[in-house]
Amino acid sequence: MASGITEKALKLVQSLPRLSLSNIKNLPHSIKKTKRRRRDRQHGKTHGRGHKGQGQRATLPRLGFEGNNTPFYLQIPKEPYYKDHELRKEYVPVSLLQIQRFVDLGRLNVKEPIDLSSLCNTRLIQVKWEQKQFGVDLLDEGADIFCARLNIEVQKASELTIAAIEKNGGVITTRYYDPHSLHAVVNPAKFFAKGVPIPRCKLPPQNEIAYYSDAKNRGYLADPEKILHARVELAQKYGYALFEYENEEEKEMLLTRKDPRQIFLGLAPGWVVNLKDKVILKPKDPEFVNYYKS
Amino acid sequence: MKYVERLMPQLTVPEVPKHSSYPTPSGWVPPREEALSLPYQVRRTKNHMLPVYHEQTHQNRHCVHIRKVEGDIWALEAALKEHLQQLYPEKQLASQVHEVARSIRIKGHYIHDVADFLISKGF
């Protein structure tokens, strides 16, 4: 080695004196000075408080007070950046073009109902509840080339998107997941590995319940009869004929829907999935059964 | 239990199913075998897509980034620049070849033209 650092270090260790209490030091700030009483000549008499006035007499006004004129912290106007931040929701944008591409490349199985779990299982879409994302917003980019017949469940969808899906004979429902249920839905494998009972999905909050009760949005809380009317109306508006289903199996698949409290298709809330033994445990206690059924 | 198995994700990217005609409704075209005989190759990504990306910094700095280039990378750069110059004769084209990373960057908003060119070559 050119610099010979190792040799220099070894020589240093050889030449330095023996380690003893006189030549070692504590790490900085590892030992704090104890607070001592103010009794000596330097800290006595006024004890750090000066002479007379509010300072010595402990009657000072609150911090920021400027003698009754409007203080600095009230003079400057406030920009309410975080007002209603707890009510703001984000939805991950997914276009019809993307869905068509997933179907073409075999990432999504059209023969089974597609919900948020299947979309997230492709690992091409990520929904993060920590970032106040509440699901997926199906956009209408690619409505002109869309030709897949599928049963899809998203969180938000525009009128054109609904028309594009129903024109090809598909079924779309919009549905709400509360953050705790969303955590389970987005990564079912990770959730089942926990061994926790499947949560019961909560109803949407006040400002979202109107959206999901509207048949025009194909909301999961809307009246099914009104949805049928809305389908006919939309077909008339966009000028296509309503699809006639020939295959019974396909029709059954397209019409499967989840219960408003159910987050996984085929699995009820309250059940515990044991992945290792490949067994599902169901509650028997009437209190639990009634809670999860409601 | 079958519903639980249905909720389990696929751990590998599946092969693309066969379609009767290409391009597919979403505009996807499969790569062709003949393209491998060219002096340069552009491999598909693991999701079977073209490795061509649009990069934007600041409001108006657009770049096309072509990754996974194999073979004679300089020949591909020359071919791309010639093709784009024919389409846009007045424009000046700036490009960067990164030999170690096997990528090409072209300054400008030419992502669709580059993608069409690569698909026409069969990549």
Side-chain angles (χ1 to χ4, degrees), chain A residues 97 100-101 104-107 112 117 121 123-124 145 147 188-189 192 264-267 275 278 280, chain B residues 1 3-10 13-17 19 24-28 46-49:
Chain A
L97 173 62
Q100 184 62 54
R101 193 185 291 142
D104 289 342
L105 297 177
R107 303 303 288 264
E112 310 233 310
S117 296
N121 276 343
R123 300 281 191 260
L124 294 164
I145 51 97
C147 63
F192 291 143
F264 296 123
L265 199 68
L267 305 172
L275 281 177
K278 297 207 169 57
I280 297 176
Chain B
M1 200 64 204
Y3 294 106
V4 175
E5 271 150 37
R6 205 195 275 178
L7 286 164
M8 291 294 135
Q10 272 186 313
V13 178
E15 294 245 358
V16 182
H19 291 257
T24 62
S26 61
W28 186 81
K46 66 173 177 290
N47 291 320
H48 315 290
M49 302 288 282

Side-chain angles (χ1 to χ4, degrees), chain B residues 81-101:
Chain B
K81 276 181 102 164
E82 195 197 315
H83 175 75
L84 291 171
Q85 201 72 87
Q86 276 173 0
L87 289 171
Y88 308 101
E90 332 81 42
K91 295 276 189 183
Q92 276 189 318
L93 290 167
S95 63
Q96 179 211 41
V97 169
H98 196 317
E99 286 181 324
V100 179

Side-chain angles (χ1 to χ4, degrees), chain B residues 30-109:
Chain B
R32 293 203 301 261
E33 292 274 327
E34 312 91 67
L36 297 174
S37 59
L38 287 166
Y40 42 78
Q41 293 89 36
V42 179
R43 295 274 174 197
R44 291 279 176 116
T45 65
K46 66 173 177 290
N47 291 320
H48 315 290
M49 302 288 282
L50 266 179
V52 180
Y53 308 95
H54 169 240
E55 289 175 346
Q56 186 181 356
T57 24
H58 311 89
Q59 264 139 36
N60 48 9
R61 187 174 207 272
H62 303 276
C63 279
V64 186
H65 186 195
I66 305 126
R67 278 182 54 235
K68 292 168 83 78
V69 183
E70 288 168 20
D72 192 350
I73 195 168
W74 292 100
L76 173 58
E77 190 230 7
L80 273 167
K81 276 181 102 164
E82 195 197 315
H83 175 75
L84 291 171
Q85 201 72 87
Q86 276 173 0
L87 289 171
Y88 308 101
E90 332 81 42
K91 295 276 189 183
Q92 276 189 318
L93 290 167
S95 63
Q96 179 211 41
V97 169
H98 196 317
E99 286 181 324
V100 179
R102 309 306 297 170
S103 73
I104 300 171
R105 268 193 175 84
I106 300 173
K107 190 171 168 185
H109 217 330

Side-chain angles (χ1 to χ4, degrees), chain A residues 176 178 200-206 209 220-221 260-261:
Chain A
Y176 174 82
D178 64 280
R200 189 179 74 148
C201 190
K202 294 193 179 116
L203 286 176
Q206 293 285 335
I209 206 150
Y220 72 124
L221 299 171
R261 294 289 194 187

Side-chain angles (χ1 to χ4, degrees), chain A residues 63-241:
Chain A
L63 209 62
F65 188 71
E66 287 176 15
N68 234 3
N69 59 340
T70 319
F72 169 78
Y73 73 91
L74 287 177
Q75 278 267 19
I76 309 298
K78 179 175 120 164
E79 181 64 59
Y81 292 108
Y82 298 106
K83 186 174 190 284
D84 299 331
H85 72 279
E86 66 273 8
L87 299 174
R88 287 188 210 150
K89 293 183 172 64
E90 278 183 25
Y91 296 94
V92 174
V94 173
S95 63
L96 283 172
L97 173 62
Q98 275 180 290
I99 301 281
Q100 184 62 54
R101 193 185 291 142
F102 295 163
V103 169
D104 289 342
L105 297 177
R107 303 303 288 264
L108 280 179
N109 189 0
V110 161
K111 300 218 170 98
E112 310 233 310
I114 296 169
D115 65 343
L116 190 58
S117 296
S118 5
L119 285 172
C120 291
N121 276 343
T122 61
R123 300 281 191 260
L124 294 164
I125 293 160
Q126 273 111 35
V127 177
K128 296 171 189 166
W129 66 273
E130 315 94 51
Q131 292 181 17
K132 294 198 201 146
Q133 290 172 358
F134 279 74
V136 146
D137 180 4
L138 204 52
L139 303 174
D140 46 30
E141 179 190 2
D144 46 345
I145 51 97
F146 193 76
C147 63
R149 193 181 315 151
L150 36 68
N151 178 1
I152 193 159
E153 186 196 69
V154 286
Q155 278 60 58
K156 296 271 167 168
S158 68
E159 196 185 57
L160 183 57
T161 322
I162 297 168
I165 292 178
E166 289 184 348
K167 182 180 174 184
N168 290 299
V171 172
I172 176 166
T173 39
T174 48
R175 175 220 163 103
Y176 174 82
Y177 289 115
D178 64 280
H180 182 60
S181 308
L182 192 78
H183 188 52
V185 167
V186 155
N187 198 340
K190 193 172 164 188
F191 173 75
F192 291 143
K194 284 188 192 175
V196 176
I198 295 169
R200 189 179 74 148
C201 190
K202 294 193 179 116
L203 286 176
Q206 293 285 335
N207 57 355
E208 295 285 328
I209 206 150
Y211 183 90
Y212 293 106
S213 310
D214 197 354
K216 284 206 178 114
N217 303 322
R218 307 291 186 268
Y220 72 124
L221 299 171
D223 194 0
E225 272 185 38
K226 285 190 182 161
I227 290 180
L228 288 171
H229 284 305
R231 271 169 66 90
V232 173
E233 267 177 38
L234 204 66
Q236 285 174 353
K237 179 173 177 180
Y238 283 92
Y240 58 85

